[in-house]
Coordinates of all heavy atoms in Angstrom, one line a residue:
D1 N 85.3 69.9 99.2 CA 85.7 71.1 98.4 C 85.2 72.3 99.1 O 84.0 72.4 99.4 CB 85.1 71.0 97.0 CG 85.8 69.9 96.2 OD1 85.2 68.8 96.3 OD2 86.8 70.2 95.6
N2 N 86.1 73.3 99.3 CA 85.6 74.5 99.9 C 85.7 75.7 99.1 O 85.4 76.8 99.5 CB 86.3 74.7 101.3 CG 87.8 75.0 101.1 OD1 88.3 75.2 100.0 ND2 88.5 75.0 102.2
G3 N 86.1 75.6 97.8 CA 86.2 76.8 97.0 C 87.2 77.8 97.3 O 87.0 79.0 97.0
F4 N 88.2 77.5 98.1 CA 89.3 78.4 98.5 C 90.6 78.1 97.8 O 91.0 77.0 97.7 CB 89.5 78.3 100.0 CG 90.5 79.2 100.5 CD1 90.3 80.6 100.7 CD2 91.8 78.7 100.8 CE1 91.3 81.4 101.2 CE2 92.8 79.5 101.3 CZ 92.5 80.9 101.5
V5 N 91.2 79.2 97.2 CA 92.5 79.1 96.6 C 93.4 80.2 97.0 O 92.8 81.4 97.1 CB 92.4 79.2 95.1 CG1 93.8 79.2 94.4 CG2 91.6 78.0 94.5
A6 N 94.6 80.0 97.4 CA 95.5 81.1 97.8 C 96.9 80.7 97.3 O 97.3 79.5 97.2 CB 95.6 81.3 99.3
F7 N 97.7 81.7 96.9 CA 99.0 81.5 96.5 C 99.9 82.7 96.7 O 99.4 83.8 96.9 CB 99.1 81.1 95.0 CG 98.4 82.0 94.0 CD1 99.1 83.0 93.4 CD2 97.1 81.8 93.8 CE1 98.5 83.8 92.5 CE2 96.4 82.6 92.9 CZ 97.2 83.6 92.2
T8 N 101.2 82.5 96.8 CA 102.2 83.5 97.1 C 103.2 83.6 95.9 O 103.6 82.5 95.4 CB 103.0 83.2 98.3 OG1 102.0 83.0 99.4 CG2 103.9 84.3 98.7
F9 N 103.5 84.8 95.4 CA 104.6 85.0 94.5 C 105.8 85.3 95.3 O 105.8 86.2 96.1 CB 104.3 86.2 93.5 CG 103.2 85.9 92.5 CD1 101.9 86.3 92.6 CD2 103.6 85.1 91.4 CE1 101.0 86.1 91.7 CE2 102.6 84.8 90.5 CZ 101.3 85.3 90.6
N10 N 106.8 84.6 95.1 CA 108.1 84.8 95.8 C 109.2 85.3 94.9 O 109.2 84.9 93.7 CB 108.6 83.4 96.4 CG 107.7 83.0 97.5 OD1 107.6 83.6 98.5 ND2 107.1 81.8 97.4
T11 N 110.1 86.1 95.4 CA 111.3 86.5 94.7 C 112.5 85.8 95.3 O 112.5 85.6 96.6 CB 111.5 88.0 94.7 OG1 111.6 88.4 96.1 CG2 110.3 88.7 94.1
P12 N 113.4 85.3 94.6 CA 114.5 84.6 95.2 C 115.3 85.4 96.2 O 115.8 84.9 97.2 CB 115.4 84.2 94.0 CG 114.6 84.3 92.8 CD 113.5 85.3 93.1
E13 N 115.4 86.7 96.0 CA 116.3 87.5 96.9 C 115.5 88.0 98.1 O 116.0 88.2 99.2 CB 116.8 88.8 96.2 CG 117.7 88.5 95.0 CD 116.8 88.2 93.7 OE1 115.7 88.6 93.6 OE2 117.4 87.5 92.8
Q14 N 114.2 88.2 98.0 CA 113.4 88.9 99.0 C 112.3 88.0 99.7 O 111.7 88.4 100.6 CB 112.8 90.1 98.5 CG 113.8 91.1 98.1 CD 113.2 92.4 97.5 OE1 112.0 92.5 97.5 NE2 114.0 93.3 97.1
G15 N 112.1 86.8 99.1 CA 111.0 86.0 99.7 C 109.7 86.4 99.2 O 109.5 86.9 98.1
P16 N 108.6 86.2 100.0 CA 107.2 86.5 99.6 C 107.0 88.0 99.2 O 107.4 88.9 99.9 CB 106.4 86.2 100.8 CG 107.2 85.3 101.7 CD 108.6 85.7 101.4
A17 N 106.4 88.2 98.0 CA 106.3 89.6 97.5 C 104.8 89.9 97.3 O 104.5 91.1 97.4 CB 107.1 89.7 96.2
L18 N 104.0 88.9 97.0 CA 102.6 89.1 96.8 C 101.8 87.9 97.2 O 102.2 86.8 96.9 CB 102.4 89.4 95.3 CG 101.0 89.7 94.8 CD1 100.5 91.0 95.3 CD2 101.0 89.7 93.3
Y19 N 100.7 88.1 97.9 CA 99.8 87.0 98.3 C 98.4 87.3 97.9 O 97.9 88.4 98.0 CB 99.8 87.0 99.9 CG 99.0 85.8 100.4 CD1 99.4 84.5 100.5 CD2 97.7 86.1 100.9 CE1 98.6 83.5 101.0 CE2 96.9 85.1 101.4 CZ 97.4 83.8 101.4 OH 96.6 82.8 101.9
L20 N 97.8 86.3 97.3 CA 96.4 86.5 96.7 C 95.6 85.3 97.4 O 96.1 84.2 97.4 CB 96.4 86.4 95.2 CG 97.1 87.5 94.5 CD1 98.4 87.1 94.1 CD2 96.3 88.0 93.4
A21 N 94.4 85.6 97.7 CA 93.5 84.6 98.2 C 92.1 84.8 97.6 O 91.6 86.0 97.5 CB 93.4 84.7 99.7
F22 N 91.4 83.7 97.2 CA 90.1 83.7 96.6 C 89.2 82.8 97.3 O 89.6 81.6 97.5 CB 90.2 83.3 95.1 CG 91.1 84.2 94.3 CD1 92.5 83.8 94.2 CD2 90.7 85.4 93.7 CE1 93.3 84.6 93.4 CE2 91.5 86.1 92.9 CZ 92.8 85.7 92.8
N23 N 88.1 83.3 97.8 CA 87.1 82.4 98.5 C 85.8 82.4 97.7 O 85.0 83.4 97.8 CB 86.9 83.0 99.9 CG 86.0 82.1 100.8 OD1 85.6 81.0 100.3 ND2 85.5 82.6 101.9
A24 N 85.5 81.3 97.1 CA 84.3 81.1 96.3 C 83.3 80.3 97.1 O 82.3 79.9 96.6 CB 84.6 80.4 95.0
F25 N 83.6 80.1 98.4 CA 82.7 79.3 99.3 C 81.8 80.2 99.9 O 81.9 81.5 100.1 CB 83.6 78.6 100.3 CG 82.9 77.4 101.0 CD1 82.3 76.4 100.3 CD2 83.0 77.4 102.4 CE1 81.7 75.3 101.0 CE2 82.3 76.3 103.1 CZ 81.8 75.3 102.3
H26 N 80.6 79.6 100.5 CA 79.6 80.4 101.1 C 79.9 80.7 102.6 O 79.0 81.3 103.2 CB 78.2 79.8 100.9 CG 78.1 78.4 101.5 ND1 78.4 77.3 100.8 CD2 77.7 78.0 102.7 CE1 78.2 76.2 101.5 NE2 77.7 76.6 102.7
H27 N 81.0 80.2 103.1 CA 81.4 80.5 104.4 C 82.8 81.3 104.4 O 83.6 81.1 103.5 CB 81.7 79.3 105.3 CG 80.4 78.5 105.5 ND1 79.4 79.0 106.3 CD2 80.0 77.3 105.1 CE1 78.4 78.1 106.5 NE2 78.8 77.0 105.6
A28 N 83.0 82.2 105.4 CA 84.3 82.8 105.5 C 85.4 81.8 105.8 O 85.1 80.7 106.3 CB 84.3 83.8 106.7
Q29 N 86.6 82.1 105.4 CA 87.7 81.2 105.5 C 88.8 81.9 106.4 O 88.9 83.2 106.3 CB 88.3 80.8 104.2 CG 87.4 80.1 103.3 CD 87.2 78.7 103.8 OE1 88.1 78.0 104.2 NE2 85.9 78.2 103.6
T30 N 89.5 81.2 107.2 CA 90.6 81.7 108.0 C 91.9 81.5 107.1 O 92.1 80.5 106.6 CB 90.8 80.9 109.3 OG1 89.6 81.1 110.1 CG2 92.0 81.5 110.1
V31 N 92.6 82.6 106.9 CA 93.8 82.7 106.1 C 95.0 82.9 107.0 O 95.0 83.8 107.8 CB 93.6 83.8 105.1 CG1 94.9 84.0 104.3 CG2 92.4 83.7 104.2
T32 N 96.0 82.1 106.8 CA 97.3 82.3 107.4 C 98.3 82.8 106.4 O 98.7 82.1 105.5 CB 97.8 80.9 108.0 OG1 96.8 80.4 108.9 CG2 99.1 81.2 108.8
L33 N 98.7 84.0 106.6 CA 99.7 84.6 105.7 C 101.0 84.2 105.9 O 101.4 83.9 107.1 CB 99.7 86.2 105.9 CG 98.4 86.9 105.6 CD1 98.6 88.4 106.0 CD2 98.1 86.9 104.1
P34 N 101.8 84.0 104.9 CA 103.2 83.6 105.1 C 104.0 84.8 105.7 O 103.5 86.0 105.6 CB 103.7 83.3 103.6 CG 102.8 84.1 102.7 CD 101.5 84.1 103.4
L35 N 105.0 84.5 106.4 CA 105.8 85.6 107.0 C 106.4 86.5 105.8 O 106.8 86.0 104.9 CB 106.9 85.1 107.8 CG 106.5 84.3 109.1 CD1 107.7 83.7 109.8 CD2 105.8 85.2 110.0
P36 N 106.3 87.8 106.0 CA 106.8 88.7 104.9 C 108.4 88.5 105.0 O 109.0 88.1 105.9 CB 106.4 90.1 105.4 CG 106.1 90.0 106.8 CD 105.7 88.6 107.1
G37 N 109.0 89.0 103.9 CA 110.4 88.9 103.8 C 111.0 89.8 104.8 O 110.4 90.7 105.4
E38 N 112.3 89.6 105.1 CA 113.0 90.4 106.2 C 112.9 91.9 105.9 O 113.1 92.3 104.8 CB 114.5 90.0 106.2 CG 115.2 90.6 107.4 CD 116.6 90.1 107.5 OE1 116.9 88.9 107.1 OE2 117.5 90.8 107.9
G39 N 112.5 92.6 106.9 CA 112.3 94.1 106.8 C 111.1 94.5 106.0 O 110.9 95.7 105.7
K40 N 110.2 93.5 105.6 CA 109.0 93.8 104.9 C 107.8 93.7 105.7 O 107.7 93.2 106.8 CB 108.8 92.8 103.7 CG 110.0 92.7 102.8 CD 110.1 93.9 101.9 CE 111.2 93.8 100.9 NZ 111.3 94.9 100.1
Q41 N 106.6 94.2 105.2 CA 105.4 94.2 105.9 C 104.3 94.0 104.9 O 104.4 94.4 103.8 CB 105.1 95.6 106.6 CG 103.9 95.7 107.3 CD 103.9 95.0 108.6 OE1 104.8 95.0 109.3 NE2 102.8 94.2 108.8
W42 N 103.2 93.3 105.2 CA 102.1 93.0 104.3 C 101.1 94.3 104.4 O 100.9 94.8 105.5 CB 101.3 91.8 104.7 CG 102.0 90.5 104.4 CD1 102.3 89.6 105.4 CD2 102.4 90.0 103.1 NE1 102.9 88.5 104.7 CE2 102.9 88.7 103.4 CE3 102.3 90.5 101.8 CZ2 103.5 87.9 102.3 CZ3 102.8 89.7 100.8 CH2 103.3 88.4 101.0
F43 N 100.6 94.6 103.3 CA 99.6 95.7 103.1 C 98.4 95.1 102.3 O 98.6 94.4 101.3 CB 100.1 96.9 102.4 CG 101.1 97.7 103.3 CD1 102.4 97.4 103.4 CD2 100.6 98.7 104.1 CE1 103.3 98.1 104.2 CE2 101.5 99.5 104.9 CZ 102.8 99.1 105.0
L44 N 97.2 95.5 102.7 CA 96.0 95.1 102.0 C 95.8 96.1 100.8 O 95.7 97.3 101.1 CB 94.8 95.0 102.9 CG 93.5 94.5 102.3 CD1 93.7 93.0 101.9 CD2 92.4 94.6 103.3
V45 N 95.7 95.5 99.6 CA 95.6 96.4 98.4 C 94.2 96.2 97.8 O 93.6 97.1 97.4 CB 96.7 96.0 97.4 CG1 96.5 96.8 96.1 CG2 98.1 96.2 97.9
V46 N 93.7 94.9 97.8 CA 92.4 94.6 97.2 C 91.6 93.8 98.2 O 92.2 92.8 98.8 CB 92.5 93.9 95.9 CG1 91.2 93.4 95.4 CG2 93.3 94.7 94.9
N47 N 90.4 94.2 98.4 CA 89.4 93.4 99.2 C 88.1 93.5 98.6 O 87.4 94.5 98.8 CB 89.4 93.9 100.7 CG 88.5 93.1 101.6 OD1 87.8 92.2 101.1 ND2 88.5 93.3 102.9
T48 N 87.7 92.5 97.8 CA 86.4 92.6 97.1 C 85.2 92.4 97.9 O 84.1 92.6 97.4 CB 86.4 91.6 95.9 OG1 86.4 90.2 96.5 CG2 87.6 91.7 95.0
H49 N 85.4 92.2 99.2 CA 84.2 92.2 100.1 C 83.7 93.6 100.3 O 82.5 93.8 100.6 CB 84.6 91.6 101.5 CG 83.5 91.5 102.4 ND1 82.4 90.7 102.3 CD2 83.3 92.2 103.6 CE1 81.6 90.9 103.3 NE2 82.1 91.8 104.1
N50 N 84.6 94.6 100.2 CA 84.2 96.0 100.3 C 83.5 96.5 99.0 O 83.9 96.1 98.0 CB 85.4 96.9 100.6 CG 86.1 96.6 101.9 OD1 85.5 96.1 102.8 ND2 87.4 96.9 102.0
P51 N 82.5 97.4 99.2 CA 81.9 97.9 97.9 C 82.8 98.9 97.3 O 83.6 99.6 97.9 CB 80.6 98.6 98.5 CG 80.9 99.0 99.9 CD 81.9 97.9 100.4
P52 N 82.7 99.0 96.0 CA 83.5 100.0 95.2 C 83.1 101.4 95.8 O 82.0 101.7 96.1 CB 83.1 99.9 93.8 CG 82.4 98.5 93.7 CD 81.8 98.2 95.0
P53 N 84.0 102.4 95.8 CA 85.4 102.2 95.3 C 86.4 101.7 96.4 O 87.6 101.8 96.3 CB 85.7 103.7 94.9 CG 85.0 104.5 96.0 CD 83.7 103.7 96.1
D54 N 85.8 101.3 97.6 CA 86.7 100.9 98.7 C 87.3 99.4 98.5 O 87.9 98.9 99.5 CB 85.9 100.9 100.0 CG 85.5 102.4 100.3 OD1 86.3 103.3 100.0 OD2 84.4 102.6 100.9
D55 N 87.0 98.8 97.4 CA 87.5 97.5 97.2 C 89.0 97.5 96.7 O 89.7 96.5 96.8 CB 86.6 96.6 96.2 CG 86.4 97.4 94.9 OD1 86.7 98.6 94.8 OD2 86.0 96.7 93.9
F56 N 89.4 98.6 96.2 CA 90.8 98.8 95.8 C 91.4 100.0 96.5 O 90.8 101.0 96.5 CB 90.9 99.0 94.2 CG 92.3 99.2 93.7 CD1 93.2 98.1 93.6 CD2 92.8 100.5 93.6 CE1 94.4 98.3 93.1 CE2 94.1 100.7 93.2 CZ 94.9 99.6 92.9
L57 N 92.5 99.7 97.2 CA 93.1 100.8 98.0 C 94.3 101.4 97.3 O 95.3 100.7 97.0 CB 93.5 100.2 99.4 CG 92.3 99.6 100.1 CD1 92.8 98.8 101.3 CD2 91.3 100.7 100.6
D58 N 94.2 102.7 97.0 CA 95.4 103.4 96.4 C 96.6 103.3 97.4 O 96.4 103.1 98.6 CB 95.1 104.8 96.2 CG 94.0 105.0 95.1 OD1 94.0 104.2 94.1 OD2 93.2 105.9 95.2
E59 N 97.7 103.6 96.9 CA 99.0 103.4 97.7 C 99.0 104.1 99.0 O 99.4 103.6 100.0 CB 100.2 103.8 96.9 CG 101.5 103.4 97.5 CD 102.7 103.6 96.6 OE1 102.5 103.8 95.4 OE2 103.8 103.6 97.1
G60 N 98.4 105.3 99.0 CA 98.4 106.1 100.3 C 97.3 105.6 101.2 O 97.3 106.0 102.4
N61 N 96.4 104.8 100.8 CA 95.3 104.3 101.7 C 95.4 102.8 102.0 O 94.4 102.3 102.7 CB 94.0 104.6 101.0 CG 93.7 106.0 100.8 OD1 94.0 106.9 101.6 ND2 93.3 106.4 99.6
R62 N 96.4 102.2 101.7 CA 96.5 100.7 102.0 C 96.6 100.5 103.4 O 97.2 101.3 104.2 CB 97.7 100.1 101.2 CG 97.5 100.2 99.7 CD 98.7 99.7 99.0 NE 98.3 99.8 97.5 CZ 99.2 99.8 96.6 NH1 100.5 99.6 96.8 NH2 98.8 100.0 95.3
I63 N 96.1 99.3 103.9 CA 96.0 99.0 105.3 C 97.2 98.0 105.6 O 97.3 97.0 105.0 CB 94.6 98.3 105.6 CG1 93.5 99.3 105.3 CG2 94.6 97.9 107.0 CD1 92.1 98.7 105.3
R64 N 98.0 98.4 106.6 CA 99.0 97.5 107.0 C 98.4 96.4 107.8 O 97.5 96.6 108.7 CB 100.0 98.3 107.9 CG 101.3 97.5 108.2 CD 102.3 98.3 108.9 NE 101.9 98.3 110.3 CZ 102.6 99.0 111.2 NH1 103.6 99.8 110.9 NH2 102.2 99.0 112.5
I65 N 98.9 95.2 107.5 CA 98.4 94.0 108.2 C 99.4 93.6 109.3 O 100.6 93.3 109.0 CB 98.2 92.8 107.2 CG1 97.2 93.2 106.1 CG2 97.8 91.6 107.9 CD1 97.1 92.3 105.0
D66 N 99.0 93.7 110.6 CA 99.9 93.4 111.7 C 99.7 92.0 112.2 O 100.3 91.7 113.3 CB 99.6 94.4 112.7 CG 100.0 95.9 112.3 OD1 101.0 96.0 111.6 OD2 99.3 96.8 112.7
T67 N 99.0 91.2 111.6 CA 98.8 89.8 112.1 C 99.0 88.8 110.8 O 98.9 89.2 109.7 CB 97.4 89.6 112.7 OG1 97.3 88.2 113.1 CG2 96.3 89.9 111.7
N68 N 99.2 87.5 111.1 CA 99.4 86.6 110.0 C 98.1 85.8 109.9 O 98.0 84.9 109.0 CB 100.6 85.7 110.2 CG 100.5 84.8 111.3 OD1 99.9 85.1 112.3 ND2 101.1 83.6 111.1
I69 N 97.0 86.1 110.7 CA 95.8 85.3 110.6 C 94.7 86.3 110.2 O 94.5 87.4 110.9 CB 95.4 84.7 111.9 CG1 96.5 83.8 112.4 CG2 94.1 83.9 111.8 CD1 96.7 82.5 111.6
L70 N 94.0 86.1 109.1 CA 92.9 87.0 108.6 C 91.6 86.1 108.4 O 91.8 84.9 108.1 CB 93.3 87.7 107.3 CG 94.5 88.6 107.4 CD1 94.8 89.1 106.0 CD2 94.1 89.8 108.3
R71 N 90.5 86.7 108.4 CA 89.3 86.1 107.9 C 88.9 86.6 106.6 O 88.8 87.9 106.4 CB 88.1 86.4 108.9 CG 88.3 85.8 110.3 CD 88.1 84.4 110.4 NE 86.7 84.1 110.3 CZ 86.2 82.9 110.0 NH1 87.0 81.9 109.9 NH2 84.9 82.7 109.9
L72 N 88.7 85.8 105.7 CA 88.4 86.1 104.3 C 86.8 85.9 104.1 O 86.4 84.7 104.2 CB 89.2 85.4 103.3 CG 88.9 85.8 101.8 CD1 89.2 87.2 101.5 CD2 89.8 84.9 100.9
P73 N 86.0 86.9 104.0 CA 84.6 86.6 103.9 C 84.2 85.8 102.7 O 85.0 85.7 101.7 CB 84.0 88.1 103.7 CG 85.1 89.0 104.3 CD 86.4 88.3 104.0
S74 N 83.0 85.3 102.7 CA 82.5 84.4 101.6 C 82.5 85.2 100.3 O 82.3 86.4 100.3 CB 81.2 83.9 101.9 OG 80.2 84.9 102.1
Y75 N 82.7 84.6 99.2 CA 82.6 85.1 97.8 C 83.5 86.4 97.7 O 83.0 87.4 97.2 CB 81.2 85.4 97.5 CG 80.3 84.2 97.6 CD1 79.3 84.1 98.6 CD2 80.5 83.0 96.8 CE1 78.4 83.0 98.7 CE2 79.7 81.9 97.0 CZ 78.7 81.9 97.9 OH 77.9 80.8 98.1
S76 N 84.7 86.3 98.1 CA 85.5 87.5 98.0 C 87.0 87.1 97.8 O 87.3 85.9 97.8 CB 85.4 88.4 99.3 OG 85.9 87.7 100.4
A77 N 87.8 88.2 97.4 CA 89.2 87.9 97.2 C 90.0 89.1 97.9 O 89.4 90.2 98.1 CB 89.5 87.9 95.7
M78 N 91.3 88.8 98.1 CA 92.1 89.8 98.7 C 93.5 89.7 98.1 O 93.9 88.6 97.7 CB 92.2 89.8 100.2 CG 92.9 88.6 100.8 SD 93.0 88.8 102.5 CE 94.1 87.5 102.9
M79 N 94.2 90.8 98.0 CA 95.6 90.8 97.6 C 96.3 91.8 98.5 O 95.9 92.8 98.8 CB 95.6 91.3 96.1 CG 97.1 91.4 95.6 SD 97.2 91.9 93.8 CE 96.7 93.6 93.9

């Protein structure tokens, strides 16, 4: 058991729409994001590893993710 859970919400017309990952383990985990839908891009909205108020990114401050491999720090979540 590594305390890691991740899931994707899909829409029938557009494919992956939302990806969430939770790491309750004491080690960082490597996360492989699903490919975004056609013409879509992943953006980081929540990263609980960051201290408030930087753990939630407003629409104008969201970080575009240009890779499908990420490291999720221990005891954190991302959306």
Side-chain angles (χ1 to χ4, degrees):
D1 294 89
N2 65 9
F4 177 78
V5 174
F7 53 94
T8 306
F9 288 104
N10 291 298
T11 61
E13 301 82 24
Q14 298 179 0
L18 182 66
Y19 180 82
L20 294 100
F22 302 92
N23 183 12
F25 197 52
H26 61 273
H27 293 293
Q29 298 290 320
T30 300
V31 176
T32 302
L33 296 173
L35 294 175
E38 186 174 332
K40 303 287 184 178
Q41 180 72 46
W42 288 119
F43 286 87
L44 188 60
V45 177
V46 174
N47 182 353
T48 64
H49 181 69
N50 296 337
D54 297 326
D55 54 343
F56 178 82
L57 303 168
D58 294 324
E59 189 169 347
N61 297 319
R62 293 179 182 160
I63 300 168
R64 188 174 81 186
I65 300 173
D66 293 323
T67 181
N68 69 327
I69 305 289
L70 297 175
R71 295 284 288 164
L72 183 59
S74 60
Y75 307 113
S76 63
M78 72 175 189
M79 177 174 72

